[in-house]
Amino acid sequence: MSFPEKDLLHCPSKDAVEAHFMSCMKEADALKHKSQVINEMQKKDHKQLWMGLQNDRFDQFWAINRKLMEYPPEENGFRYIPFRIYQTTTERPFIQKLFRPVAADGQLHTLGDLLREVCPSALAPEDGEKKNQVMIHGIEPMLETPLQWLSEHLSYPDNFLHISIVPQPTD
């Protein structure tokens, strides 16, 4: 059986995977902190993030990643939430836009707020039946969950929230 070239990107080396991972980490930090956190890190910190992930060393990874999950208390959250929404029913591979975790009036934005603005087709109409499930890490969080909390607690190792919109099972 040959590699499924049509379905997956073929990575030429471990270095390419590491470079992609670090690129995603830098992009997430640019959204959350204007790149200030990752730029203050040393090369050894970047290496520790990668080696902790690669070797399944939670403590090693989180000793550094913890810094990327912090924000000044007066700010109530990150600058923008790094997220990608994936849907099986569209041609676009994913949706990614700027979205703040806190509304102009100071209220925390929720997962439902994000979906209403960025991907309204994922939500059930008020009078209709639910056609989709909104999944993160294989669970369906409540739409009332604050986006900042989701970003801090359910982001993937690349610091992005990867949100899948999948058709509701019919069985």
Side-chain angles (χ1 to χ4, degrees):
M1 180 177 237
S2 61
F3 188 83
E5 298 283 349
K6 290 185 182 115
D7 301 321
L8 298 172
L9 290 175
H10 195 91
C11 295
S13 67
K14 276 194 213 176
D15 290 343
V17 177
E18 179 182 357
H20 178 73
F21 171 74
M22 287 310 301
S23 176
C24 289
M25 295 289 285
K26 289 175 182 178
E27 183 180 355
D29 190 50
L31 292 166
K32 295 193 300 192
H33 309 109
K34 299 182 186 174
S35 299
Q36 292 170 334
V37 178
I38 204 112
N39 287 343
E40 289 172 7
M41 290 181 180
Q42 297 177 4
K43 181 81 174 144
K44 69 178 178 66
D45 296 327
H46 294 186
K47 207 60 164 167
Q48 184 174 331
L49 271 171
W50 173 246
M51 295 307 290
L53 179 66
Q54 183 181 357
N55 298 322
D56 204 20
R57 299 287 309 272
F58 182 83
D59 296 347
Q60 184 181 0
F61 177 82
W62 270 97
I64 304 298
N65 195 57
R66 183 172 291 110
K67 299 172 191 170
L68 294 161
M69 288 295 170
E70 295 171 348
Y71 55 88
E74 66 274 8
E75 290 183 17
N76 294 330
F78 302 138
R79 199 163 145 257
Y80 295 103
I81 298 292
F83 74 90
R84 290 187 178 139
I85 296 176
Y86 304 89
Q87 303 174 87
T88 58
T89 56
T90 65
E91 293 300 311
R92 289 177 73 180
F94 60 85
I95 298 170
Q96 178 178 339
K97 294 184 176 181
L98 294 178
F99 194 84
R100 293 190 183 273
V102 181
D105 65 2
Q107 291 292 310
L108 290 176
H109 276 140
T110 65
L111 177 59
D113 295 332
L114 172 71
L115 294 171
R116 273 186 285 285
E117 183 170 318
V118 175
C119 188
S121 62
L123 299 170
E126 291 191 23
D127 58 348
E129 69 178 78
K130 185 176 160 188
K131 291 188 170 71
N132 296 302
Q133 287 182 302
V134 179
M135 308 290 282
I136 303 174
H137 285 291
I139 61 170
E140 192 171 7
M142 294 180 358
L143 296 177
E144 299 78 25
T145 309
L147 209 50
Q148 177 67 39
W149 187 91
L150 287 171
S151 187
E152 289 175 47
H153 299 281
L154 291 182
S155 284
Y156 281 65
D158 64 3
N159 277 237
F160 273 81
L161 265 178
H162 293 277
I163 304 165
S164 297
I165 311 297
V166 296
Q168 182 76 16
T170 53
D171 48 56

